[in-house]
Amino acid sequence: ISPFRIGGAVPTVFSYFSEVLAREKRGEHLSWLCMFWMIGGIYASAMAWAIIPHYGWSFSMGSAYQFHSWRVFVIVCALPCVSSVVALTFMPESPRFLLEVGKHDEAWMILKQIHDTNMRARGQPEKVFTVTRIKTPKQIDELIEIESDTGTWYRRCFVRIRTELYGIWLTFMRCFNYPVKDNTIKLTAVWFTLSFGYYGLSVWFPDVIKHLQSDEYASRVKHFRNEEVSHFVFNFTLENQIHSNGEYINDRFVMMKFKSVTFEDSLFKNCVFEDITSLNTYFRNCTFINTTFYNTDLEQYKFVDSELINCTFFHIRTGCQISFDDDYSAYWIYFVNFLGTLAVLPGNIVSALLMDRIGRLTMLGGSMVLSGISCFFLWFGTSESMMIGMLCLYNGLTISAWNSLDVITVELYPTDRRATGFGFLNALCKAAAVLGNLIFGSLVGITKAIPILLASTVLVCGGLVGLRLPDTRTQVLM
């Protein structure tokens, strides 16, 4: 359900806001609007980082329902949405929309309200709204619903739904008619390339850092070979170790954690495993004789090609028993996302201040080309800090392209097609994001050269196409 809400809200918000702005400040204020997407991202990533890892924030409702921290996170993220719904009840309708549907008097009253509000803000409340004539657009012929007073109720519902769907289809097809056809094709290329490169890399970054962490962690692994331990009690944490060809006789493993531990070709005889929690721990080709497992999470899949002879299992814990304290890399997922989102702030401010000064096309093309170049330098990243720094630089450069692309899109379409055209391009954007995630995700474990070169090339090509769009800085909305 959530994507329907988001997918419908974004095009409507940009279209609505552009239709109540003066031409001189339209680019700047639309860029400030774009910044609230970033603010929402910071809010969401910060709340995830602060709430989700703390498993202590939970309580039970009955025997079957557990209210864990991730549910708290969902509620916290829903609060801004609820606030926006309340705020919308105080917003006037777009005057341009009212003129399109022939409601001239209502449009005039809203224009007067906007005028009076602006004059009071300027300290000139006595200035009277003097517009007496409004240029109305040509009305679009609408489909007439038949059988409104006759026929069955389901027949009337069917005709109404068919009429609405046909009207939507006609509006969509007008996005590919003169004079906006060429602009739609170019915008399609720019939206697709920018989304493909941006979202593909955004999802790819945490995986790259996780691989770097895994490689660094694996380089510090400790090897123990040919151990012979008997009548010993293990009650401490074993971490990042490999035990090969060992013999453990009459040993007890009690109230301890195994973190990234592997036992290979080892023998366990007359041993006891009690109150054990394990993370990334496996027993490969091991033999267990007369061994007891009590209150552990050592499930069958952790015994790889192992033989269990006369062994007993009591109170085996199934499912995930790992906390965020055990899995340190989980913090990095939220931390990296938070830093990447926070890095967008300077780019947002710069784009808002310069949007009406240097123009939309210069900012769009320049930002995408610079993003492609910065993406190429990821090839030389060899450490976590370097990759995070490149991520922040890349996000800071890319946000200017997103802001200018949003502004250009709403300015190139006329009022009767603005939200539809923006919605189509936004849907294409999500399709490109999915494609980018699939391609980059499949290559991240193989090589980083192909994703980097692919994203860099796509962004540069998209920026060059964006430079071919018409300049809308001084253009009156159609």
Side-chain angles (χ1 to χ4, degrees):
I1 298 174
S2 179
F4 285 96
R5 178 188 61 79
I6 298 173
V10 173
T12 308
V13 166
F14 279 95
S15 301
Y16 171 81
F17 195 45
S18 66
E19 293 170 5
V20 295
L21 293 173
R23 179 184 59 190
E24 295 79 10
K25 290 288 186 178
R26 192 170 58 217
E28 177 183 342
H29 286 288
L30 283 172
S31 298
W32 293 126
L33 176 64
C34 295
M35 188 170 67
F36 282 89
W37 180 275
M38 178 271 302
I39 293 175
I42 292 178
Y43 174 79
S45 58
M47 291 301 100
W49 188 23
I51 294 175
I52 293 180
H54 298 282
Y55 270 49
W57 295 15
S58 63
F59 61 87
S60 301
M61 298 176 64
S63 59
Y65 189 80
Q66 301 291 328
F67 197 91
H68 287 290
S69 56
W70 71 268
R71 301 184 190 273
V72 178
F73 170 69
V74 171
I75 293 177
V76 171
C77 284
L79 294 178
C81 301
V82 176
S83 302
S84 67
V85 172
V86 175
L88 284 174
T89 60
F90 299 95
M91 302 297 293
E93 183 55 86
S94 164
R96 287 181 170 271
F97 169 77
L98 294 174
L99 292 175
E100 289 286 346
V101 297
K103 298 180 180 180
H104 304 152
D105 293 339
E106 294 183 31
W108 188 90
M109 291 298 296
I110 292 175
L111 287 173
K112 183 178 184 303
Q113 177 185 349
I114 294 174
H115 171 272
D116 294 343
T117 302
N118 290 338
M119 289 305 103
R120 285 195 301 269
R122 294 180 181 180
Q124 302 174 0
E126 71 282 354
K127 195 166 184 179
V128 181
F129 185 58
T130 57
V131 175
T132 57
R133 183 176 63 90
I134 299 176
K135 182 180 179 181
T136 59
K138 180 181 178 181
Q139 297 296 307
I140 300 174
D141 294 335
E142 296 185 357
L143 297 171
I144 305 299
E145 182 180 339
I146 62 173
E147 299 186 26
S148 59
D149 297 324
T150 60
T152 59
W153 65 269
Y154 58 84
R155 176 62 179 171
R156 290 195 297 272
C157 291
F158 173 76
V159 173
R160 182 177 291 111
I161 295 174
R162 185 184 63 183
T163 302
E164 291 294 335
L165 292 177
Y166 187 56
I168 294 171
W169 174 252
L170 289 180
T171 304
F172 172 72
M173 292 307 297
R174 285 201 298 270
C175 295
F176 296 90
N177 294 341
Y178 179 83
V180 298
K181 177 181 178 181
D182 291 341
N183 294 335
T184 299
I185 295 175
K186 294 174 183 177
L187 285 172
T188 298
V190 178
W191 274 86
F192 186 90
T193 53
L194 182 57
S195 178
F196 181 87
Y198 177 77
Y199 286 107
L201 282 179
S202 297
V203 175
W204 181 66
F205 261 102
D207 284 340
V208 171
I209 293 177
K210 190 173 182 180
H211 276 278
L212 290 174
Q213 287 179 335
S214 299
D215 293 341
E216 194 271 337
Y217 190 75
S219 66
R220 294 186 284 109
V221 65
K222 297 179 181 179
H223 291 267
F224 298 88
R225 296 180 176 86
N226 303 316
E227 286 183 313
E228 294 184 4
V229 182
S230 61
H231 298 88
F232 186 79
V233 178
F234 293 86
N235 56 2
F236 45 86
T237 298
L238 298 182
E239 181 178 3
N240 198 19
Q241 300 177 1
I242 297 177
H243 299 258
S244 303
N245 299 306
E247 291 186 3
Y248 305 90
I249 312 297
N250 295 312
D251 294 325
R252 293 175 58 85
F253 300 83
V254 182
M255 299 183 65
M256 61 178 300
K257 292 182 179 180
F258 292 100
K259 299 170 65 174
S260 299
V261 178
T262 301
F263 291 90
E264 299 176 341
D265 303 309
S266 298
L267 170 66
F268 295 84
K269 185 176 181 181
N270 299 325
C271 294
V272 175
F273 290 81
E274 183 177 354
D275 296 325
I276 302 297
T277 301
S278 61
L279 168 65
N280 194 27
T281 296
Y282 299 95
F283 299 87
R284 302 183 186 277
N285 198 28
C286 295
T287 301
F288 295 83
I289 302 174
N290 297 325
T291 298
T292 301
F293 299 87
Y294 179 81
N295 194 30
T296 72
D297 63 353
L298 299 177
E299 300 182 62
Q300 291 298 323
Y301 73 90
K302 296 185 178 182
F303 300 93
V304 181
D305 297 327
S306 296
E307 185 178 6
L308 289 86
I309 302 173
N310 197 24
C311 296
T312 54
F313 291 82
F314 300 99
H315 304 290
I316 300 301
R317 301 194 303 268
T318 60
C320 180
Q321 307 296 328
I322 304 168
S323 69
F324 279 80
D325 293 331
D326 296 325
D327 189 5
Y328 177 73
S329 63
Y331 279 104
W332 276 90
I333 297 175
Y334 302 108
F335 181 66
V336 170
N337 284 332
F338 177 75
L339 288 181
T341 308
L342 189 63
V344 173
L345 180 60
N348 255 309
I349 296 175
V350 170
S351 63
L353 297 177
L354 299 182
M355 186 68 70
D356 290 314
R357 294 179 180 271
I358 67 175
R360 288 85 159 122
L361 298 185
T362 303
M363 184 165 292
L364 173 63
S367 177
M368 291 188 68
V369 171
L370 290 176
S371 298
I373 295 175
S374 68
C375 174
F376 175 76
F377 283 100
L378 291 173
W379 198 333
F380 305 100
T382 56
S383 65
E384 298 173 21
S385 58
M386 185 180 297
M387 294 298 291
I388 292 175
M390 294 303 300
L391 167 65
C392 295
L393 176 63
Y394 173 76
N395 285 354
L397 291 172
T398 309
I399 193 60
S400 298
W402 279 115
N403 291 356
S404 54
L405 184 59
D406 291 334
V407 174
I408 292 173
T409 301
V410 298
E411 291 180 337
L412 283 179
Y413 284 105
T415 302
D416 62 328
R417 283 163 278 184
R418 183 169 294 116
T420 302
F422 199 108
F424 162 69
L425 294 170
N426 198 44
L428 183 71
C429 162
K430 304 311 176 188
V434 172
L435 181 62
N437 291 341
L438 292 175
I439 293 177
F440 284 66
S442 62
L443 296 174
V444 65
I446 304 175
T447 175
K448 66 179 183 180
I450 296 178
I452 289 174
L453 292 177
L454 182 60
S456 180
T457 303
V458 164
L459 287 170
V460 172
C461 292
L464 297 178
V465 173
L467 292 174
R468 305 295 298 174
L469 289 166
D471 190 5
T472 57
R473 180 167 34 167
T474 60
Q475 179 177 304
V476 178
L477 288 183
M478 292 182 286

